[in-house]
Amino acid sequence: MHKRVIFNNRLLPYLLLLPQMMITLVFFFWPAFEAIRQSVLLQDAFGLRSEFVGFENFAHILNDPNYLTAMGVTIVFSATVTLLAMVPALLLAVLADSGIRGASLYKTLLIWPYAVAPAVAAVLWLFMAHPSIGIIGKALNAAGIAWNYQINGGQALTLVILASAWKQISYNFLFFLAGLQSIPKSVIEAAKIDGARPVRRFFTIILPLLSPTTFFLLVVNLVYAFFDTFGVIDALTKGGPGTSTVTLIYRVYIDGNHNLNLGSSSAQSVILMVIVIALTVIQFRFIEKKVHY
Amino acid sequence: MAGAGRTWVTHAGLLIGVLVFAFPIYLALIASTWDASTIGRGALPLYPGPDAWKNYSRIWSSGEVGRFGSVPVATMMGNSLIMALAIAIGKIAISIISAYAVVFFRFPLRMLCFWMIFLTLMLPVEVRIIPTYQVVVDLGLFDTRFGLVVPLIASATATLLFRQFFLTIPDELTEAAKIDGAGPVRFFIDIVLPLSRTNIAALFVILFIFGWNQYLWPLLITKSRALETVVIGITKMIGTGDAQSEWNLIMATAVLALLPPVIVVLTMQRWFVKGLVDQEK
């Protein structure tokens, strides 16, 4: 789609684009290029010289049991966060869309957690789950369940997942609600007249009609779980105990910032870039399809 | 009767949702009104205590929370506010003018510029953290406000959003403005900017929250505590998270840290919803 009426000016458009292009080149493309360059180089211990090693850094990472563990943690973490953030959101959206009194008040009361920073959400959950002073942690220990997320890896992962999902439900709720409201009422009325009961109506009519929203949210939530939960992990567990809550992003951060292993960290960045590009392409192909409907 | 029963279940379901969301914050609010030893004993009641004023006034002006001390929360809040506003305004400003250039002009390399902006969608800061950090250090921007804000203000989504909106501005309007002798700058200021008001407001809400909640980037780029944001500051206060920490002060800081973005969402709810939904398009 293009405009027919345009302005003629040789210099102005470049001036208007200059700030955006400068930032994009300096802080996006140059670092991305550097990541790719360093991912095929190996630096000596003093960082003075580096030699070309091809895919050695990648081979090294993909054979590193710690990296594979981080990958496993990331998969479990992302899948669970996505599920826990989407299912309750859909349920709440269905309830809020049922024509109930006070629906807009409920909506207001259900959207604000979106504004809470991931790291702050982590602090709130830490305070509840603390084994000796937290209200939930204490209750679990009193009930005979040995709860201490600081030494139990599975419990640490559970806590990080809960805090991450808690914050994301609002976002999904809003989109599911918008999706539900765009379903023509006549379709649902027709199903009612045909005698379809609410549960059946939901699974045979509403859920399929919501599938564009669901798919969109699936990608968004995976991206959220991959990248935006860094703050939750750093504030709650710092990747511990051991490496039980180290995700791929957290690993890049540790390797690059603490271990100063640039070759490995860059190769990891390149792997992550490939994942993001794949997710973005999936999302855009899907949007193109939606236009054709 | 079945209908009334169902309504009751619906209310109950929604109320459970509201409570699950609100409970962690309620607990933080309550904890911020007691003294540290009550919480440290694990004896926090579920009703407000007497120390609210003491706790909040202490963290606001003095920085003595946590093992190594910290800057006053007032300073942290100021830093967060500056960062959030600079990111939101900066992103909107550079995106709206670049979208204007791409839509209302024809010039060599136009599509290349557009695609370069578009490609940044695939390079989120988390993916290129270490090399971007190196670039910032090389440019001498480490530990400066400039280095904290500027690398974050390029925005493909905002540019695409404005482009999408500009394409809906009818050609007749541009034609009429040109006949009246308006140049591109005049047209932008008198016509395009006022028409974009709602889009700008919606984006502002989303970007303000985005900016306020930044974590990884400020963690890497700032070192001096004078530049510390409240979201970073609070995680530093926790330290190793033992029971002896001054949890009353930590929770008071948490309440202050989440208040500004939550207030923005609640008071500008309409713009917030529009901003979120627009990003999908």
Side-chain angles (χ1 to χ4, degrees):
Chain A
M1 200 170 144
H2 296 287
K3 289 246 172 240
R4 280 180 290 110
V5 185
I6 51 157
F7 291 102
N8 294 312
N9 197 309
R10 292 180 82 93
L11 194 60
L12 189 61
Y14 293 106
L15 281 178
L16 292 173
L17 275 164
L18 191 68
Q20 177 101 301
M21 293 314 290
M22 292 242 307
I23 295 169
T24 305
L25 282 173
V26 174
F27 297 110
F28 285 74
F29 285 96
W30 184 15
F33 172 76
E34 276 294 303
I36 295 170
R37 199 176 68 88
Q38 282 171 359
S39 71
V40 293
L41 295 177
L42 191 67
Q43 277 195 329
D44 66 16
F46 307 103
L48 296 175
R49 270 185 306 168
S50 48
E51 57 168 324
F52 179 78
V53 293
F55 289 104
E56 203 173 291
N57 286 321
F58 290 94
H60 199 255
I61 291 170
L62 294 172
N63 284 314
D64 178 355
N66 281 331
Y67 191 74
L68 299 178
T69 312
M71 207 175 253
V73 169
T74 309
I75 292 170
V76 172
F77 174 78
S78 309
T80 324
V81 168
T82 302
L83 194 73
L84 283 180
M86 282 178 71
V87 175
L90 177 58
L91 199 70
L92 288 170
V94 169
L95 294 178
D97 187 49
S98 63
I100 194 167
R101 204 180 285 198
S104 71
L105 179 65
Y106 281 123
K107 188 175 159 191
T108 304
L109 293 173
L110 288 169
I111 60 171
W112 59 266
Y114 173 82
V116 178
V120 175
V123 173
L124 298 176
W125 277 81
L126 186 148
F127 186 61
M128 288 194 296
H130 194 284
S132 61
I133 62 165
I135 190 161
I136 297 175
K138 257 188 338 186
L140 286 171
N141 281 315
I145 300 162
W147 168 268
N148 190 344
Y149 70 91
Q150 288 171 336
I151 50 173
N152 182 318
Q155 293 177 356
L157 189 59
T158 309
L159 187 57
V160 174
I161 287 171
L162 286 175
S164 304
W166 174 79
K167 193 208 117 60
Q168 188 66 4
I169 294 175
S170 305
Y171 182 90
N172 298 334
F173 167 76
L174 263 177
F175 275 92
F176 276 132
L177 191 61
L180 287 169
Q181 283 165 350
S182 70
I183 296 176
K185 291 283 167 276
S186 55
V187 176
I188 295 169
E189 285 303 320
K192 259 187 198 166
I193 291 166
D194 286 345
R197 303 192 50 82
V199 175
R200 200 181 145 76
R201 274 209 304 271
F202 176 76
F203 282 104
T204 57
I205 296 167
I206 295 174
L207 207 53
L209 285 173
L210 269 185
S211 63
T213 309
T214 311
F215 186 81
F216 162 78
L217 287 176
L218 202 64
V219 177
V220 170
N221 280 272
L222 282 175
V223 171
Y224 164 79
F226 256 72
F227 302 111
D228 294 340
T229 51
F230 176 89
V232 179
I233 295 170
D234 196 50
L236 257 178
T237 63
K238 302 242 181 290
T243 57
S244 50
T245 51
V246 174
T247 59
L248 293 177
I249 285 287
Y250 206 76
R251 176 87 208 223
V252 177
Y253 170 72
I254 297 172
D255 277 351
N257 206 38
H258 296 328
N259 303 341
L260 296 172
N261 188 344
L262 288 181
S264 166
S265 165
S266 302
Q268 293 179 41
S269 288
V270 172
I271 294 175
L272 286 171
M273 269 185 233
V274 172
I275 296 176
V276 183
I277 290 171
L279 282 171
T280 316
V281 169
I282 292 172
Q283 195 172 342
F284 275 90
R285 290 202 61 176
F286 156 73
I287 287 173
E288 258 172 35
K289 259 193 207 142
K290 200 170 72 171
V291 174
H292 289 303
Y293 278 142
Chain B
M1 282 319 280
R6 198 172 298 143
T7 310
W8 190 86
V9 171
T10 307
H11 277 294
L14 286 166
L15 272 174
I16 289 172
V18 170
L19 288 179
V20 168
F21 282 169
F23 185 69
I25 311 253
Y26 176 74
L27 216 56
L29 262 175
I30 295 299
S32 70
T33 63
W34 290 90
D35 58 314
S37 62
T38 308
I39 303 172
R41 282 199 309 274
L44 177 69
L46 281 177
Y47 51 88
D51 292 334
W53 173 250
K54 213 171 97 192
N55 292 339
Y56 282 97
S57 58
R58 189 172 144 205
I59 56 161
W60 188 256
S61 50
S62 105
E64 282 164 23
V65 189
R67 197 165 302 156
F68 307 108
S70 61
V71 286
V73 172
T75 310
M76 296 182 194
M77 296 283 281
N79 287 333
S80 286
L81 188 69
I82 292 171
M83 181 174 70
L85 287 176
I87 289 176
I89 296 169
K91 263 185 190 269
I92 291 173
I94 71 165
S95 302
I96 198 167
I97 57 173
S98 42
Y100 187 67
V102 171
V103 173
F104 285 97
F105 295 89
R106 292 289 168 276
F107 53 94
L109 305 180
R110 173 170 157 270
M111 283 323 276
L112 178 74
C113 290
F114 178 72
W115 280 106
M116 280 177 70
I117 296 169
F118 184 79
L119 274 178
T120 59
L121 269 186
M122 303 192 188
L123 300 169
V125 68
E126 287 82 358
V127 169
R128 51 190 169 82
I129 15 176
I130 306 304
T132 314
Y133 167 81
Q134 283 177 329
V135 168
V136 170
V137 172
D138 290 346
L139 293 175
L141 297 174
F142 180 73
D143 208 23
T144 62
R145 274 193 212 285
F146 193 79
L148 183 60
V149 168
V150 171
L152 292 181
I153 64 176
S155 176
T157 30
T159 310
L160 292 174
L161 212 69
F162 282 123
R163 173 181 172 268
Q164 207 73 12
F165 171 66
F166 290 165
L167 287 173
T168 67
I169 295 178
D171 281 335
E172 289 72 19
L173 203 57
T174 323
E175 194 71 67
K178 282 176 90 172
I179 290 167
D180 287 347
V185 176
R186 175 95 278 151
F187 182 67
F188 179 74
I189 293 170
D190 286 351
I191 311 281
V192 174
L193 218 46
L195 282 177
S196 310
R197 260 197 326 252
T198 53
N199 287 290
I200 292 175
L203 258 177
F204 179 83
V205 177
I206 302 296
L207 294 177
F208 180 85
I209 298 167
F210 167 85
W212 184 276
N213 290 349
Q214 282 301 314
Y215 186 80
L216 178 55
W217 188 245
L219 187 69
L220 278 175
I221 290 305
T222 58
K223 206 176 90 204
S224 59
R225 306 210 74 174
L227 285 180
E228 198 164 280
T229 65
V230 69
V231 177
I232 300 286
I234 191 172
T235 50
K236 285 198 178 155
M237 285 179 194
I238 304 174
T240 50
D242 48 20
Q244 270 60 53
S245 301
E246 291 180 282
W247 285 101
N248 53 337
L249 304 182
I250 297 175
M251 286 301 133
T253 311
V255 170
L256 291 176
L258 61 82
L259 217 51
V262 168
I263 288 175
V264 166
V265 165
L266 292 181
T267 54
M268 299 175 79
Q269 192 179 335
R270 201 157 64 90
W271 305 127
F272 166 68
V273 174
K274 179 178 160 46
L276 268 192
V277 176
D278 278 353
Q279 289 195 325
E280 181 196 7
K281 288 172 191 159

